[in-house]
Amino acid sequence: MKKITIAIDGFSSTGKSTLAKQLADWLDYIYVDTGAMYRAVTLFAMQQGFITDAKVDQGALENALKDISIDFKKNESTGMADVFLNGVNVEKQIRTLAVSGLVSPVAAISAVRTKLVSQQQKLGQNKGVVMDGRDIATVVFPEAELKIFLDASATTRAQRRYKELIDSGDKVSLEDVLKNVVERDYIDSTRKDSPLVKAKGAIAIDNSHMNLEDQFHVILQLAKDRIAGRI
Ligand code: DC
């Protein structure tokens, strides 16, 4: 059967990764969470002391980019791919609010983007991939057969993220999570390099009032149509 590329972009905490995983599982495609890669670079910068008072030492990080290796490996107990930074599993650490609070400025650095986009293009070079992020349909795979742009209200997204963080044991307040969501929206969509915008040909879906099941079925049908060459 013909394999396609599915690009899912959107604001933070719109459920991109949940949707991408559901599609990849159903279609038996590779799933790539590109946000995790920017988070891993941010964690590296924090560990190396390249970030002070939320200011990133861009020169130091750029010089050290060659020393960063990011891989995904399947976690047999969860069935999901965990992120490894230089051989160490950092899946839990990269999801904390501390990393979320610093990732957008790191992701705005062009040298970081060039390195990660090139790795993402290699991961998806044989198609049969579902990739989620901010610039997948605009920069990484502008030729993707199916492009989805997800949105939801900032309050809905903050509530979803707050629940995830509390469930994973991170002690956060809803107010701080909402602040982070709004800040990241602003930085991600106004940065110079590859800002978050809806790509030409992308299908926009606001899922504020949609359940996961309904959303999945709508988009799966779109994917099946593309695979069959119906649209
Ligand atoms: O999807 P996420 O929340 O895990 O992404 C974390 C940050 O990484 C997000 O605030 C913006 C950045 N990002 C990006 O600039 N480009 C991507 N393709 C994916 C994420």
Side-chain angles (χ1 to χ4, degrees):
M1 203 191 295
K2 178 183 147 193
K3 288 198 181 265
I4 63 167
T5 301
I6 302 178
I8 302 179
D9 290 306
F11 290 97
S12 61
S13 307
T14 41
K16 299 182 297 294
S17 52
T18 306
L19 170 67
K21 268 182 226 149
Q22 286 174 316
L23 289 169
D25 283 350
W26 203 96
L27 295 166
D28 200 16
Y29 278 18
I30 297 167
Y31 163 55
V32 182
D33 172 358
T34 64
M37 300 169 78
Y38 290 93
R39 286 171 180 273
V41 172
T42 305
L43 180 65
F44 175 87
M46 290 161 77
Q47 290 170 341
Q48 300 299 312
F50 295 161
I51 309 184
T52 345
D53 297 331
K55 290 270 320 152
V56 185
D57 182 341
Q58 188 169 333
L61 178 56
E62 286 181 3
N63 282 333
L65 281 179
K66 58 182 182 325
D67 304 324
I68 302 179
S69 113
I70 297 168
D71 300 291
F72 291 96
K73 285 183 207 153
K74 190 168 177 182
N75 177 328
E76 294 304 334
S77 63
T78 61
M80 319 266 219
D82 284 353
V83 183
F84 284 69
L85 168 63
N86 293 336
V88 178
N89 187 333
V90 292
E91 182 59 35
K92 198 162 159 43
Q93 286 178 76
I94 61 163
R95 309 285 168 193
T96 58
L97 193 56
V99 171
S100 299
L102 296 169
V103 63
S104 284
V106 169
I109 299 172
S110 290
V112 170
R113 304 203 69 81
T114 304
K115 176 184 169 87
L116 298 187
V117 167
S118 144
Q119 186 177 353
Q120 289 153 13
Q121 288 171 333
K122 281 193 196 110
L123 288 168
Q125 66 190 349
N126 297 324
K127 295 191 178 269
V129 66
V130 187
M131 201 170 279
D132 83 83
R134 303 294 188 286
D135 59 341
I136 310 306
T138 50
V139 176
V140 184
F141 291 116
E143 307 303 327
E145 288 85 351
L146 179 58
K147 301 173 184 176
I148 303 291
F149 188 85
L150 288 187
D151 198 1
S153 73
T155 322
T156 306
R157 291 185 284 127
Q159 277 161 347
R160 289 175 185 163
R161 190 89 193 109
Y162 173 72
K163 188 174 179 310
E164 268 171 30
L165 288 166
I166 293 291
D167 287 352
S168 71
D170 209 355
K171 289 186 181 53
V172 292
S173 71
L174 179 59
E175 197 190 348
D176 284 347
V177 176
L178 178 61
K179 191 164 161 264
N180 173 252
V181 161
V182 173
E183 260 170 28
R184 282 204 288 146
D185 286 357
Y186 178 76
I187 301 176
D188 295 345
S189 49
T190 56
R191 68 181 175 221
K192 279 208 182 75
D193 191 344
S194 322
L196 169 65
V197 284
K198 179 176 158 303
K200 197 165 161 271
I203 298 165
I205 296 183
D206 184 320
N207 62 22
S208 304
H209 304 289
M210 222 172 173
N211 71 38
L212 285 178
E213 188 74 7
D214 292 346
Q215 168 176 275
F216 172 60
H217 286 292
V218 168
I219 298 171
L220 178 62
Q221 190 55 50
L222 291 169
K224 286 179 179 170
D225 289 342
R226 299 299 198 278
I227 292 166
R230 283 194 284 268
I231 34 174

